[in-house]
Amino acid sequence: MLRVRCLRGGSREAKAAHLIGAMLGRAVTGWVQRAFQSTSVAAAAQPRHAAEHVTEAEQQECPVCSYNEWDRLEEVIVGRAENAHVPAFTVEVKANTYEKYWPFYQKYGGQSFPAEHLKKAVAEIEEMCNILRHEGVNVRRPEPIDWSLEYKTPDFTSSGMYAAMPRDILLVVGNEIIEAPMAWRARFFEYRAYRPLIKEYFRNGAKWTTAPKPTMADELYDQDYPIRTVEDRHKLAAEGKFVTTEHEPCFDAADFIRAGRDLFVQRSQVTNYMGIEWMRRHLAPDYKVHIISFKDPNPMHIDATFNIIGPGLVLSNPDRPCRQIDMFKKAGWTIVKPPTPLIPDDHPLWMSSKWLSMNVLMLSEKRVMVDANESTIQKMFENLGIKTIKVNIRHANSLGGGFHCWTTDVRRRGTLESYFH
């Protein structure tokens, strides 16, 4: 087992916020502007921190250690499809789904996903776990929970959703597990499925942080958020208008992606600037959090848009170009545009887009878990010198995620380094 003590580093170069003033009051504009920063210049000027040397005995003390998305994977949490429920069709859910699926939510909201489809998804994820074990990875699972139970807080009433996507709720930075607060009411108590695992990791030496839990009161959501055409959504996202407000911090862990001392994050329908600022302060001064944005009409979770697969190597969605891509090019990164997904139009993707084809899980720098049906992206990886581990989770995709979403890496064998400077 690995233990490498977490060192943290930050960057404070400011850049004008992208039309934030239109959405925030004067009281919060200052810190949002400081948070919304490009760091290409600052990162170049920032002195590099040497990775801390630790002994093998120290490494064996803690089971949690992961600094990036590509070091050799040793332990992973894989989500569960069992008893998954469709969230109620509330304003925050409607803002994150496409119009073609609204009748599905109106019919099934608050109920189980279609039984036969769910049964196939469960079987696919079990086989995925078997393949991971065959590849030498220790697989852990969240607890089965009855997500149909209704719960009530002083601010809202809801029922649960699932524990299918650990990437959404858990972020590992070094030897620290950070529980994200989430932004959907249907996911308010999702953390309960992971608590037995997290307590075990904590008892064995890991750090454990829970971000401030939002009340999820009505004020967190723009109740009049205009949800119309894709063109309208493009305009709203470009103007920095989202269904979540700045009433209180909120974020999903899947809006962050890691590259050693640098983490990249997007402001999305589920992650607001207050949530990003909380993370920036929490990880400072030894980690830097960079806000990046995309031409995306419905931003929610970064890893099917911008998926870092190696040191200075990133898959960048050609349909959702990164507005700050030049700062990665200047840092010497290689930008790879994945091919158009092959998934047929009639396959239901109730909670995601076809671009789950690029939502891959790196088992090491030279091994990747990839969709068995996506032959063109398999060829792309082979051309990059990366061996493909082909797995079919097509029915599981319908629940909202690819391999990266369905997992949270707990331990990767590597050290803390800088890759963006």
Side-chain angles (χ1 to χ4, degrees), residues 282-300:
H282 177 71
L283 294 174
D286 300 298
Y287 288 96
K288 298 182 286 288
V289 175
H290 311 266
I291 298 178
I292 54 179
S293 61
F294 306 89
K295 189 179 179 182
D296 185 354
N298 194 43
M300 178 181 173

Side-chain angles (χ1 to χ4, degrees), residues 297-319:
N298 194 43
M300 178 181 173
H301 303 163
I302 201 171
D303 48 3
T305 299
F306 199 78
N307 197 357
I308 303 173
I309 60 171
L313 181 62
V314 64
L315 299 182
S316 184
N317 190 322
D319 281 359

Side-chain angles (χ1 to χ4, degrees), residues 303-411:
D303 48 3
T305 299
F306 199 78
N307 197 357
I308 303 173
I309 60 171
L313 181 62
V314 64
L315 299 182
S316 184
N317 190 322
D319 281 359
R320 307 170 194 161
C322 178
R323 294 188 177 98
Q324 297 81 16
I325 198 66
D326 284 347
M327 75 181 189
F328 292 94
K329 293 178 179 178
K330 289 177 182 177
W333 283 37
T334 299
I335 315 300
V336 178
K337 294 181 179 179
T340 301
L342 301 177
I343 188 169
D345 290 337
D346 61 354
H347 184 78
L349 289 170
W350 300 306
M351 306 184 73
S352 56
S353 76
K354 289 184 176 184
W355 284 102
L356 291 179
S357 59
M358 63 175 283
N359 189 260
V360 297
L361 178 68
M362 302 303 297
L363 305 186
S364 68
E365 268 192 63
K366 296 300 180 181
R367 289 184 302 152
V368 61
M369 183 168 279
V370 66
D371 191 326
N373 305 285
E374 296 284 346
S375 58
T376 53
I377 201 167
Q378 293 167 20
K379 185 173 180 59
M380 181 208 77
F381 278 113
E382 289 161 5
N383 290 339
L384 290 170
I386 299 172
K387 178 184 176 182
T388 56
I389 312 299
K390 303 172 185 67
V391 184
N392 177 28
I393 60 166
R394 186 54 58 86
H395 290 86
N397 288 156
S398 301
L399 273 66
F403 300 107
H404 198 255
C405 298
W406 276 92
T407 59
T408 285
D409 42 293
V410 173
R411 188 170 65 255

